[in-house]
Amino acid sequence: MATTTRGSNFSVSDVSRSEVDQTNEKILTMITYVGCGVSSLCLGITVLTYTAFEKLRRDYPSQILINLSLALLGLNLVFLVDSWLSSWGLYGLCVAVAYTLHYFLLASFTWMGLEAVNMYLALVKVFNVYVPSYMLKFCALGWGIPLVICTLVLIVNREAYGSQLYTDAQPSLKPLDNSDNFCWLQDDVTFYVSVVAYAVLVFLFNLAVFAVVLIQIRHMRVNSPAGIRSGLMHDLKGVASLTLLLGLTWTVGFFTWGPARIVLLYLFSVLNSLEGLFIFLFHCLMKENVRKQWRIHLCFGSSDLKSNLSGATPHQLESWPSQDQILPEHQYHGSTPVPAPQTALQLPPTPARETHPTQGQTWAFL
């Protein structure tokens, strides 16, 4: 059957796959459910913000962020309703839930890897290369690879989405005899091959890109003039944001062994259940261009804007920037991020020809 005991539902990617004592189990489960609920709300606001405001989704990093947020949102929502749907006692439904949870988990890992690929092309790649249908290919990979893997698991070993308690049961819509369950992968071999091995490949690449990006940031900081060097807090913010986008907090799950297992499980549960909150903080609340769009479209701070306009001279009104002149925080030229020019950069809503992602995009982590 597609169920597992509740003792492991606080961490679908816990590598050790061993149970903890009842007290820590309840606390970890509560932390995970509260964190996933908060993250779901924050991810929904993030997706809605970047989807509704066209100026925010023009560049590739923003479009990748939308897809990553959608994958994480799906993962959190399915996780939250998993136990409830399992309590219905329907085998077929539980298989579908386990399959969907597996799919969104792999989709989240895949989009984290694609985030690293885009960073590599934008920051490290020296020569501009025209990539036709850039985002279309990314979407095919980001949503297609997990679909292929999960479908192969379902075809090759349908009982992988099952529980050892019901290995003799036949696939059907008949009720299960245990409602206190969690729908997830039960076969250890399938779990380690389709989840752990896949995550290892993605995060090894992401760690390599992370190291390269840090070296590049340090190089840019050293070579930049003293007057325009970014502060330490700005760099720390960039590193933290980059860590989240590349999913490096998930690597904590690989070390949940031995005496420090419980401590690492708490760290893992807090960091990853609240990943949606962190994404919202770094890519909505802490980004000036996002806040500016909120103020324009949602009338936040409209009284201040009106007071400024009422006290402005005709000459100041003529020079007042229009909505079309609002620019992202940075524009890219070649492979090095530079401050955006003071004059407006007119970009057509739908470019006739796609260019390499280094041209005219905003780095989400800076």
Side-chain angles (χ1 to χ4, degrees):
M1 312 308 293
T3 57
T4 181
T5 59
R6 186 180 293 273
S8 62
N9 67 355
F10 54 80
S11 177
V12 296
S13 58
D14 176 20
V15 175
S16 64
R17 288 176 72 85
S18 58
E19 296 188 3
V20 298
D21 61 274
Q22 188 174 5
T23 301
N24 285 310
E25 170 195 331
K26 291 181 179 179
I27 298 174
L28 286 166
T29 300
M30 182 62 65
I31 291 174
T32 304
Y33 275 113
V34 172
C36 287
V38 173
S39 288
S40 297
L41 177 62
C42 294
L43 287 168
I45 297 175
T46 301
V47 172
L48 181 62
T49 297
Y50 279 83
T51 303
F53 303 148
E54 189 271 339
K55 292 182 182 298
L56 298 179
R57 65 175 189 271
R58 284 179 172 177
D59 52 72
Y60 291 149
S62 297
Q63 295 171 25
I64 295 174
L65 177 66
I66 293 174
N67 284 276
L68 174 59
S69 298
L70 285 173
L72 289 171
L73 178 60
L75 177 63
N76 282 281
L77 291 178
V78 176
F79 181 90
L80 288 173
V81 300
D82 193 305
S83 292
W84 175 64
L85 293 176
S86 174
S87 68
W88 290 20
L90 297 177
Y91 169 82
L93 177 62
C94 204
V95 169
V97 172
Y99 176 95
T100 306
L101 187 64
H102 189 198
Y103 172 78
F104 279 116
L105 179 65
L106 296 184
S108 300
F109 291 161
T110 306
W111 279 107
M112 292 170 189
L114 292 175
E115 183 77 57
V117 171
N118 185 67
M119 288 181 184
Y120 173 80
L121 292 176
L123 191 62
V124 179
K125 195 73 173 176
V126 178
F127 300 102
N128 287 335
V129 179
Y130 170 64
V131 181
S133 304
Y134 185 79
M135 277 307 302
L136 182 61
K137 292 178 178 178
F138 264 39
C139 287
L141 294 174
W143 300 111
I145 292 178
L147 181 63
V148 171
I149 294 176
C150 294
T151 303
L152 286 176
V153 169
L154 195 61
I155 294 174
V156 174
N157 184 14
R158 180 178 299 180
E159 294 302 317
Y161 297 112
S163 170
Q164 295 178 356
L165 299 174
Y166 304 98
T167 53
D168 296 330
Q170 296 298 322
S172 66
L173 291 178
K174 63 184 180 181
L176 305 177
D177 57 358
N178 186 357
S179 61
D180 189 19
N181 292 305
F182 189 82
C183 305
W184 180 229
L185 282 169
Q186 294 305 304
D187 181 70
D188 286 342
V189 175
T190 304
F191 173 77
Y192 285 113
V193 172
S194 66
V195 176
V196 177
Y198 187 80
V200 167
L201 292 177
V202 171
F203 293 135
L204 282 177
F205 175 74
N206 287 11
L207 282 170
V209 172
F210 180 74
V212 171
V213 170
L214 290 184
I215 294 173
Q216 186 77 358
I217 292 176
R218 182 179 180 278
H219 178 74
M220 291 160 47
R221 181 180 175 86
V222 171
N223 293 337
S224 61
I228 63 172
R229 289 181 182 176
S230 59
L232 177 61
M233 292 304 298
H234 181 273
D235 291 342
L236 291 178
K237 169 191 169 185
V239 171
S241 177
L242 184 61
T243 301
L244 291 170
L245 289 177
L246 298 182
L248 300 184
T249 56
W250 288 81
T251 58
V252 176
F254 296 121
F255 303 99
T256 53
W257 304 86
R261 166 172 161 76
I262 299 299
V263 175
L264 291 175
L265 280 176
Y266 275 99
L267 181 62
F268 179 88
S269 298
V270 171
L271 290 177
N272 294 299
S273 65
L274 293 175
E275 185 170 7
L277 172 63
F278 298 141
I279 289 178
F280 174 73
L281 291 177
F282 283 112
H283 298 279
C284 287
L285 289 184
M286 298 177 67
K287 288 186 73 70
E288 175 59 28
N289 59 330
V290 175
R291 297 198 305 269
K292 188 176 297 184
Q293 291 296 314
W294 281 346
R295 289 194 296 267
I296 292 174
H297 296 280
L298 304 180
C299 300
F300 293 152
S302 58
S303 58
D304 295 336
L305 180 61
K306 290 179 180 178
S307 62
N308 289 336
L309 287 174
S310 61
T313 64
H315 175 72
Q316 290 174 328
L317 290 175
E318 292 177 0
S319 61
W320 194 278
S322 65
Q323 180 175 338
D324 293 335
Q325 292 177 311
I326 296 175
L327 293 170
E329 294 174 346
H330 294 82
Q331 297 292 339
Y332 273 73
H333 304 278
S335 60
T336 304
V338 296
Q342 296 301 316
T343 58
L345 178 61
Q346 300 296 334
L347 294 175
T350 305
R353 172 183 175 83
E354 295 186 39
T355 58
H356 188 272
T358 59
Q359 298 177 352
Q361 69 169 275
T362 304
W363 275 92
F365 62 92
L366 290 178

